[in-house]
Amino acid sequence: MLIRPSLATIRAVDFVHLIGTGMCLGAAIVALVWHVQGSKSRDGD
């Protein structure tokens, strides 16, 4: 990945922000799915 010239110039701060944004987005998707699944199981009771 770092061999490509466009990615070799990326700063460490930008890389950390990219990873952090991805983690937050993934956690939000998991929380949303968990919430929807939980509300479906409560409605079925």
Side-chain angles (χ1 to χ4, degrees), residues 6-17:
S6 60
L7 294 176
T9 58
I10 191 170
R11 295 180 305 170
V13 174
D14 295 332
F15 186 71
V16 170
H17 280 128

Side-chain angles (χ1 to χ4, degrees), residues 6-45:
S6 60
L7 294 176
T9 58
I10 191 170
R11 295 180 305 170
V13 174
D14 295 332
F15 186 71
V16 170
H17 280 128
L18 184 65
I19 296 296
T21 302
M23 289 174 61
C24 289
L25 182 62
I29 291 171
V30 168
L32 180 66
V33 169
W34 188 29
H35 175 70
V36 168
Q37 294 238 341
S39 65
K40 282 183 182 178
S41 68
R42 283 185 296 236
D43 290 342
D45 289 344

